Amino acid sequence: MTNRQLFLSHVAQTSPAPIGLEIVKAEGIKMWDVDGKEYIDLISGFSVCNIGHSNPEVIKAVKDQVDRYMHLIVYGEFIETPQVAYAKLLTDYLPSSLNSVYFTNSGAEATEGAMKLAKRVTGRSKIIACNKAYHGSTQGALSVMGDEYWRNAFRPLLPDIYHLDYNSQELIDCIDNTTACVIVETVQAESGVNRPGEKWLKTLQTTCTEQGALLVFDEIQAGFGRTGSLWAFEHYGVVPDILLLGKALGGGMPLGAFIADISLMDSLTNNPVLGHITTFGGHPVSCAAGMAALKVLVEKNWIEEVKTKEELFLNCLKHDRIHSVRSAGLWLAVEFESFEVCKPIIDRCIEKGVVSDWFLFAPNCMRIAPPLIITEAEIKEICSVIMSSIEEVYQGK
Ligand code: PLP
C-alpha cells in the first residue's frame, strides 16, 4: 500500500478532499514533498508558522528541553521552568491586566477555559458570540461557532448562547446584566478576514463593563504579528478581560492559552478547586518552543515590515476576476465569484507549488497568510502564480 492509501484508510478522515501532500522537509516559507517538489507555504500551516518552518532557535530550544525533561506531571503541580518563563515573557508583552496565563493543549481548549472562567467569575450563563465565528471544534467551542450548518448535527449543545452579527449594534444591544461574556475574534478569521470597526470594539468594551460581562478576544489566528502588531487588539486600543491564544503561540508545537487578570483567574482555584484540569496543557517542550519563537519574532523587524508587504500583495492582486481583497496585515482573503471558481484556482496554485486554501465560512475566498519572513520578491512571484492560475481556470486550460 502507498502512504496515500494508508493515510486514507488508517488516519481518520473528515475532509472529503484533503490536500494530501506528503512533505518530507520544511524550512522558512518552503516545503518539499517526497518527490523533491518544492512548495511555498502561503498559509503558514493555518497561521502557525509565523516565523517560518524549522527556525534554528526553536529547534535548539526543543532539543535542549527534550534533553532535560518532557512530561513530568499534570498541569499546575510542579514548577516547570519553560512554563514559568514563557508565562512571564508573554505577560511582559501584554497589558498589565493580562497577567495570568492558563496554558492549554489547543485553541479550542482555550475557548472552553475562557467560557468556564467567565461563568465562574460572573455567576451567569448567557454567552454572546458572532455569526461566522470559529473558536474551535469541541462541544463548548462548537456552541459559540457562528454557523448553524456546522453546529446543527451535534445538538444539543450549550444552552444560553446568542449569535449576532460581527460589527453590529444588535450584538451590543444583546449584552445585559445576565451576560457572562461576549466572545469575539479581534479580526474575524473564517468569515474571510473581516476587521472590526474601532468604534464598535470600543462600545463593546464599555457595554461589557457597564453590564458586568467579560469581554473575550480570540486572537488564536490574529496574534503574533499577523496583523502588523504583536496583538491585533493594539490597533484598536481595546484590552479584553480574557485573551485567547493558540496556533503561533507554540512556535510549531501544540499549545493554547487563555489569559486574564489573576483576580479573575483565581476563581478557578476554589469551589470547586481545580476549575480546569489538563494533563498535557503547557507541555514543557511546547512552552520552550513557543518562547524561542516569540523571542525571535520580537527581535527581528518582521512585524514592522507587515504593512509594506500587505500593500505589495494588495497592489499585485489585481485582476478583473477578483471581486475584492480583504486584508489585515499579512492576512488576506481574495474573493472570487464562487467556491466553484475559487477551488480550481487554489488547486492550480498548489500544482504550481503555492499552497493555499479557502475559508470555512467564505469558501469563495482564497486564504493568504504566509510566514511573516516572506520577502518582497517572493510576494511578487506568488502573485504572478495566482494571476496565471486565474487566467488558466477562466480559459478552461
Ligand atoms: N479560534 C480561531 C480563531 C481559530 O482559527 C481556531 C482554529 O483554527 C481555533 C480557535 C481553534 O484552535 P484549535 O484548532 O487549536 O483547537
Side-chain angles (χ1 to χ4, degrees):
M1 270 212 204
T2 63
N3 260 0
R4 182 177 174 80
Q5 287 163 333
L6 291 170
F7 165 69
L8 292 174
S9 51
H10 293 297
V11 178
Q13 300 288 317
T14 61
S15 166
I19 299 175
L21 295 179
E22 192 175 350
I23 299 298
V24 291
K25 184 174 159 61
E27 199 176 294
I29 70 158
K30 299 202 170 145
M31 305 182 288
W32 291 268
D33 75 6
V34 269
D35 302 317
K37 182 170 172 183
E38 186 176 288
Y39 293 88
I40 288 174
D41 183 355
L42 192 54
I43 53 175
S44 306
F46 284 88
S47 304
V48 170
C49 313
N50 285 16
I51 64 162
H53 294 273
S54 306
N55 180 280
E57 299 295 321
V58 177
I59 291 175
K60 181 173 183 314
V62 167
K63 287 185 173 163
D64 288 351
Q65 185 53 42
V66 168
D67 283 344
R68 284 189 205 102
Y69 59 84
M70 293 194 276
H71 176 79
L72 295 179
I73 195 168
V74 295
Y75 182 83
E77 293 297 333
F78 286 3
I79 302 164
E80 299 189 11
T81 311
Q83 250 177 29
V84 177
Y86 196 20
K88 170 75 173 77
L89 186 70
L90 281 166
T91 56
D92 284 348
Y93 285 110
L94 284 165
S96 59
S97 59
L98 294 172
N99 51 41
S100 177
V101 182
Y102 192 116
F103 284 116
T104 61
N105 297 277
S106 66
E109 191 193 354
T111 303
E112 300 286 340
M115 291 197 291
K116 287 169 70 183
L117 180 60
K119 285 179 164 177
R120 197 57 199 78
V121 167
T122 61
R124 307 170 180 174
S125 62
K126 174 173 168 181
I127 294 178
I128 299 174
C130 290
N131 289 323
K132 298 187 180 173
Y134 184 71
H135 300 289
S137 195
T138 51
Q139 296 207 53
L142 190 62
S143 305
V144 286
M145 185 199 238
D147 192 291
E148 188 55 14
Y149 167 75
W150 299 89
R151 288 190 305 252
N152 194 35
F154 303 99
R155 289 194 179 281
L157 293 168
L158 283 182
D160 223 2
I161 309 277
Y162 296 77
H163 286 96
L164 294 123
D165 284 347
Y166 192 67
N167 269 331
S168 75
Q169 182 59 38
E170 288 73 26
L171 188 144
I172 287 168
D173 293 343
C174 185
I175 306 167
D176 60 20
N177 64 8
T178 68
T179 309
C181 70
V182 177
I183 175 166
V184 297
E185 292 160 270
T186 320
V187 173
Q188 250 197 354
E190 296 306 317
S191 64
V193 188
N194 278 295
R195 291 193 304 237
E198 185 173 336
K199 191 159 165 271
W200 181 73
L201 219 52
K202 288 203 160 116
T203 312
L204 192 57
Q205 183 187 42
T206 47
T207 313
C208 281
T209 309
E210 279 161 20
Q211 298 295 340
L214 300 188
L215 180 58
V216 183
F217 280 174
D218 178 341
E219 296 219 359
I220 289 167
Q221 274 198 60
F224 294 94
R226 176 65 49 206
T227 65
S229 58
L230 187 56
W231 317 116
F233 64 74
E234 292 175 88
H235 294 292
Y236 306 97
V238 178
V239 176
D241 298 298
I242 308 177
L243 178 67
L244 308 185
L245 297 177
K247 297 208 182 256
L249 174 70
M253 295 289 288
L255 194 63
F258 58 104
I259 305 178
D261 190 85
I262 192 162
S263 60
L264 305 181
M265 203 64 99
D266 270 354
S267 67
L268 294 178
T269 63
N270 60 66
N271 196 24
V273 297
L274 301 172
H276 191 71
I277 301 174
T278 167
T279 300
F280 289 124
H283 193 281
V285 180
S286 298
C287 286
M291 186 160 95
L294 177 56
K295 281 186 178 165
V296 171
L297 179 65
V298 294
E299 269 162 27
K300 309 279 182 182
N301 53 352
W302 297 321
I303 297 181
E304 290 78 60
E305 291 168 4
V306 162
K307 185 93 202 123
T308 318
K309 292 175 183 174
E310 173 187 10
E311 274 158 18
L312 182 58
F313 263 117
L314 291 171
N315 284 332
C316 295
L317 289 169
K318 295 215 164 94
H319 193 287
D320 55 10
R321 299 294 186 174
I322 295 177
H323 284 212
S324 74
V325 182
R326 289 187 297 276
S327 67
L330 268 179
W331 193 13
L332 301 94
V334 185
E335 186 185 353
F336 295 101
E337 190 185 326
S338 63
F339 176 68
E340 287 64 35
V341 170
C342 182
K343 179 71 169 61
I345 294 171
I346 292 169
D347 290 346
R348 194 54 70 102
C349 285
I350 297 174
E351 275 165 39
K352 291 168 185 269
V354 173
V355 176
S356 176
D357 209 343
W358 39 285
F359 293 87
L360 207 52
F361 310 124
N364 61 332
C365 295
M366 179 182 200
R367 183 189 299 264
I368 296 184
L372 310 185
I373 61 172
I374 194 167
T375 65
E376 298 194 7
E378 286 163 341
I379 292 174
K380 288 182 189 157
E381 183 191 326
I382 287 161
C383 289
S384 73
V385 169
I386 297 173
M387 291 303 130
S388 63
S389 300
I390 298 173
E391 284 298 317
E392 287 165 21
V393 166
Y394 271 98
Q395 285 163 17
K397 277 192 206 158

